[in-house]
């Protein structure tokens, strides 16, 4: 029997509001000493009253727009009852039947074999606002636990997908796209390693070709993109083995992912909604959101998918370069400003946009190569983040223009770029000061070419006996001798001319 995997995700995203969901305590994100951002409301003291954080509601509505879903015009909060030491009230304020977001879908491009990608659409079932629980820290002795209430009461949006993913790779790609959307909209830093984005993965298997939904397992405690794939892989293998042994999963269970051991461990059979005794939160008014929803629509920035498409259509970047740029908003901004500068430069000297249209793709290739390979290499090597890079996009564009005009060779442009990263200086000034410009004096260069041939008799011999790469070797020597100041093309021509004289 062949099985197909069915995966649906529930993702908690920490909203980056200044204060908590229902009180004025700082939403400090782990930066403050334990239990210093607390008050009677978030400690669940009797008689304290919650007040809704307007910004969190606004963020919720923005998430609706960003995911292509609907803002519920009349939404409300509910109490979800359960007992645990991280929840002093004995209930969590969440949303039950009128979540702030319903519907929506996210297009995701999934890497498949052979370096190709395939596009899927993952539908969003709903997303609701709720408060986070406190953080439990278990002592190493195994006998005691600590509670840090700083996280208690901070705002979350829980996003629930439809069971639309068919492999761990699809789940991972979806999560990565979701992270990028949350960052772009500015509602969360969505850093999985820091717990801003926490994922529970629901997974079941079914016979290929059928459409039934079998009982699923919910895997909790997944803390990185790598564990999403590992945990799901493990769980699929486990369920497949059970099914083949004639003992398929028959009841809903919750299992925890143990990242160290690389296995999932049964935690409990799952509660259903009735166990939580949801009821409307009597201390909070309903949310009337029609006006807010409409006023926010125009405030949604360009989303990653749209930006990737525009990077291709407007600048002529390749699909894969567009993807690399847009994965990092600051890098994308840099690339975009470089291209705009280049366009201005080309248009200024050519009247109208005609010349730009003709040369755009050449510049796109040049810019993508120099940003993604050379500049990224320099940044990685020197541990410089693009956000603190000293190079201004207009200076970077100028360097590319100098390259394009053949005022500087590639190797010397690289030296200039290193200096720019170090000091933030202007490329033409560096070129002059360090004498790194192209040498136009071909008479002088011809003499150097002749000298190099004379000094390398073995290469000359090889060339005479028909070994053509001997010429290439001599060109390399010439580039070295001129410290990159000769254009490779010029060097090649001169070497060949001199060689012919010595045939
Ligand atoms: P529960 O009642 O356990 O909360 P829901 O129907 O609310 O279950 O779904 C919770 C999550 O589980 C959703 O992300 C949904 O897509 C996913 N899901 C539901 N049924 C299945 C299934 N049979 N296999 C895999 N995922 C599923
Ligand atoms: Zn508080
Ligand atoms: Mg549910």
């Amino acid at each position: 029997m062949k099985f197909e995997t069915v995966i649906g995700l529930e993702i908690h995203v920490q909203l980056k509001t200044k204060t908590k969901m229902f009180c004025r305590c700082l939403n400090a994100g782990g930066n403050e000493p334990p239990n210093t951002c607390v008050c009677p409301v978030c400690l669940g003291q009797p008689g304290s009253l919650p007040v809704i954080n307007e910004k969190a509601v606004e963020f919720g509505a923005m998430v609706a727009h960003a995911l292509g879903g609907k803002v519920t015009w009349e939404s409300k909060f509910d109490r979800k009852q359960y007992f645990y030491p991280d929840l002093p009230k004995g209930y969590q304020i969440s949303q039950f039947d009128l979540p702030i977001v319903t519907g929506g879908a996210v297009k995701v491009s999934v890497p498949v074999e052979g370096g190709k990608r395939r596009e899927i659409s993952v539908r969003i079932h709903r997303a609701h606002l709720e408060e986070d629980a406190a953080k439990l820290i278990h002592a190493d002795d195994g006998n005691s636990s600590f509670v840090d209430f700083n996280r208690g009461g901070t705002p979350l949006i829980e996003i629930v997908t439809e069971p639309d993913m068919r492999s761990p790779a699809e789940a991972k790609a979806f999560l990565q796209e979701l992270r990028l959307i949350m960052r772009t909209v500015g509602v969360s830093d969505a850093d999985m390693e820091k717990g801003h984005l926490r994922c529970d993965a629901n997974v079941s298997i079914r016979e290929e070709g059928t459409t039934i939904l079998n009982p699923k397992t919910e895997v909790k405690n997944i803390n990185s993109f790598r564990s999403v794939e590992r945990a799901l892989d493990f769980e699929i293998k486990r369920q497949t083995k059970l099914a083949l042994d004639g003992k398929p999963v028959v009841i809903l269970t919750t299992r925890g992912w143990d990242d160290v051991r690389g296995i999932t461990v049964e935690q409990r059979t799952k509660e259903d909604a009735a166990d939580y005794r949801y009821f409307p939160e009597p201390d909070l008014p309903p949310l009337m959101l029609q006006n807010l929803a409409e006023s926010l629509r125009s405030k949604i920035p360009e989303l990653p998918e749209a930006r990737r498409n525009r990077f291709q259509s407007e600048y002529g970047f390749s699909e894969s370069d567009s993807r690399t740029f847009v994965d990092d908003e600051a890098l994308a901004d840099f690339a975009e400003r470089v291209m705009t500068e280049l366009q201005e430069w080309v248009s200024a000297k050519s009247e109208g946009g005609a010349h730009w249209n003709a040369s755009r793709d050449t510049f796109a290739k040049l810019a993508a190569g120099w940003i993604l390979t050379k500049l990224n290499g320099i940044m990685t090597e020197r541990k410089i983040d693009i956000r603190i890079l000293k190079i201004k996009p207009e200076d970077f564009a100028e360097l590319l223009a100098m390259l394009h005009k053949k005022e500087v060779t590639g190797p010397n442009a690289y030296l200039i770029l290193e200096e720019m990263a170090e000091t933030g200086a202007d490329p033409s000034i560096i070129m002059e000061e360090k004498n790194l410009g192209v040498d136009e004096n071909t008479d002088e260069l011809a003499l150097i070419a002749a000298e190099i041939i004379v000094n390398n008799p073995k290469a000359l011999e090889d060339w005479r006996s028909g070994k053509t790469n001997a010429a290439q070797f001599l060109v390399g020597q010439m580039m070295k001798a001129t410290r990159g100041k000769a254009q490779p093309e010029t060097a090649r021509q001169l070497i060949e001319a001199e060689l012919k004289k010595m045939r």
Side-chain angles (χ1 to χ4, degrees):
M1 209 193 303
K2 273 204 99 182
F3 294 106
E4 172 179 64
T5 305
V6 178
I7 300 167
L9 301 177
E10 294 166 286
I11 305 107
H12 289 90
V13 179
Q14 228 171 54
L15 297 175
K16 57 172 184 185
T17 53
K18 283 205 187 71
T19 55
K20 293 189 182 181
M21 187 72 230
F22 300 113
C23 63
R24 290 210 180 129
C25 292
L26 214 58
N27 178 13
N31 293 327
E32 297 293 326
N35 297 310
T36 54
C37 304
V38 290
C39 75
V41 175
C42 55
L43 289 176
Q45 304 286 308
S48 63
L49 284 174
V51 176
I52 301 170
N53 182 337
E54 203 179 334
K55 194 72 191 171
V57 174
E58 199 175 290
F59 280 176
M62 287 172 80
V63 168
H65 289 312
L67 300 179
K70 279 211 231 40
V71 177
T72 306
W73 285 354
E74 230 176 288
S75 182
K76 70 169 166 68
F77 288 100
D78 301 277
R79 288 188 181 178
K80 179 181 179 179
Q81 336 281 325
Y82 69 91
F83 171 78
Y84 211 61
D86 60 5
L87 190 71
K89 295 197 296 294
Y91 61 86
Q92 176 192 30
I93 306 179
S94 180
Q95 297 194 289
F96 181 50
D97 53 340
L98 293 172
I100 188 162
V101 183
T102 56
V106 178
K107 264 204 234 156
V108 185
S109 160
V110 187
V112 292
E113 267 138 65
K116 296 213 177 82
R117 307 186 77 93
R118 189 166 43 83
E119 205 161 86
I120 60 163
S121 176
V122 176
R123 288 167 302 154
I124 303 299
H125 178 56
R126 59 177 274 167
H128 61 260
L129 292 168
E130 62 188 24
E131 56 178 339
D132 205 348
K135 191 170 183 174
L136 285 179
I137 299 132
H138 304 291
D140 290 336
D141 64 11
N143 288 325
S144 47
S145 294
F146 300 93
V147 193
D148 177 4
F149 285 98
N150 284 358
R151 200 183 69 184
T154 58
L156 299 176
I157 187 159
E158 177 176 344
I159 300 168
V160 183
T161 77
E162 295 293 349
D164 284 351
M165 287 150 281
R166 296 288 170 266
S167 69
E170 290 187 4
K172 182 180 171 199
F174 168 81
L175 268 183
Q176 286 173 328
E177 186 68 5
L178 188 72
R179 170 179 64 173
L180 195 54
I181 293 172
M182 294 299 122
R183 286 180 179 171
T184 306
V185 181
V187 300
S188 176
D189 291 333
D191 199 333
M192 242 185 141
E193 274 69 20
K194 290 188 182 147
H196 303 154
L197 194 144
R198 307 195 287 265
C199 165
D200 298 338
N202 299 274
V203 53
S204 64
I205 56 171
R206 66 185 172 202
E207 200 178 325
E208 217 173 65
T210 63
T211 54
I212 41 160
L213 288 175
N214 285 322
K216 63 186 168 78
T217 312
E218 182 173 344
V219 185
K220 293 195 171 281
N221 190 34
I222 301 176
N223 300 322
S224 68
F225 289 102
R226 208 172 86 83
S227 346
V228 173
E229 275 190 304
R230 286 178 68 210
L232 283 169
D233 274 332
F234 177 88
E235 190 54 29
I236 294 161
K237 286 207 184 89
R238 193 185 68 86
Q239 289 187 17
T240 307
K241 182 164 188 314
L242 286 173
L244 291 174
D245 290 350
K247 299 177 287 189
V249 174
V250 286
I251 59 168
L252 302 181
T253 42
T254 304
R255 299 179 72 87
W257 170 245
D258 183 330
D259 205 44
V260 178
R261 290 195 286 165
I263 58 170
T264 64
V265 186
E266 170 146 358
Q267 291 181 330
R268 56 189 150 99
T269 51
K270 196 168 157 63
E271 301 83 354
D272 59 22
D275 298 325
Y276 292 121
R277 310 231 168 246
Y278 280 101
F279 68 84
E281 167 60 63
D283 291 337
L284 293 172
L287 294 163
M288 310 304 278
L289 301 176
Q290 182 176 3
N291 289 341
L292 178 75
E294 278 162 13
S295 72
L296 282 177
R297 190 175 287 281
S298 59
K299 290 201 191 140
I300 304 297
E302 182 180 38
L303 295 171
E305 165 79 3
R307 196 172 198 192
R308 282 190 288 258
N309 291 336
R310 192 170 56 77
F311 268 42
Q312 293 171 64
S313 61
E314 187 173 335
Y315 301 122
F317 287 128
S318 72
E319 212 242 284
S320 101
D321 288 344
S322 302
R323 176 165 299 281
T324 312
F325 283 134
V326 172
D327 273 347
D328 182 342
E329 202 172 356
L331 192 69
D333 290 345
F334 186 87
E336 188 149 11
R337 294 216 14 224
V338 167
M339 287 305 279
T340 324
E341 287 290 329
L342 284 171
Q343 179 171 11
E344 269 171 30
W345 174 71
V346 172
S347 305
K349 66 178 186 111
S350 74
E351 285 165 35
H355 190 54
W356 175 246
N357 289 340
S359 56
R360 187 197 70 171
D361 291 1
T362 313
F363 281 107
K365 267 219 182 83
L366 187 68
W370 276 81
I371 296 171
L372 294 177
T373 312
K374 310 258 186 351
L375 178 61
N376 259 351
I378 291 173
M379 288 196 298
T380 309
E381 189 191 299
R382 298 171 187 221
K383 300 195 168 52
I384 302 170
D385 185 276
I386 183 84
R387 285 157 198 81
I388 55 156
L389 180 69
K390 286 188 183 150
I391 303 175
K392 292 200 256 357
E394 44 282 22
D395 287 339
F396 192 88
E398 189 185 347
L399 180 66
L400 296 187
M402 285 156 55
L403 260 168
H404 182 76
K405 288 185 281 184
K406 299 204 184 322
E407 292 172 2
V408 63
T409 61
N412 281 1
Y414 188 81
L415 295 179
I416 294 175
L417 189 61
E418 285 186 312
E419 180 76 16
M420 288 165 78
E422 206 56 51
T423 63
D426 182 291
S428 52
I429 293 175
I430 300 173
M431 182 173 85
E432 242 167 70
E433 276 179 357
K434 306 221 154 176
N435 190 22
L436 291 169
V438 159
D439 201 332
E440 298 290 2
N441 188 339
T442 36
D443 287 348
E444 197 179 301
L445 288 175
L447 285 177
I448 298 176
E451 200 179 299
I452 282 177
I453 296 171
V454 171
N455 290 342
N456 289 281
K458 167 96 172 57
L460 178 61
E461 236 11 82
D462 286 351
W463 180 79
R464 280 180 173 145
S465 66
K467 290 184 190 154
T468 36
N469 42 3
Q472 200 44 50
F473 167 78
L474 291 167
V475 172
Q477 293 303 303
M478 168 122 182
M479 297 295 291
K480 245 191 219 158
T482 56
R483 293 187 308 119
K485 287 164 63 66
Q487 286 288 4
E489 186 51 27
T490 314
R492 192 183 58 77
Q493 282 167 4
L494 291 171
I495 288 283
E496 277 176 1
E498 293 303 316
L499 278 172
K500 282 193 183 116
K501 290 186 205 160
M502 300 184 208
R503 202 191 287 272

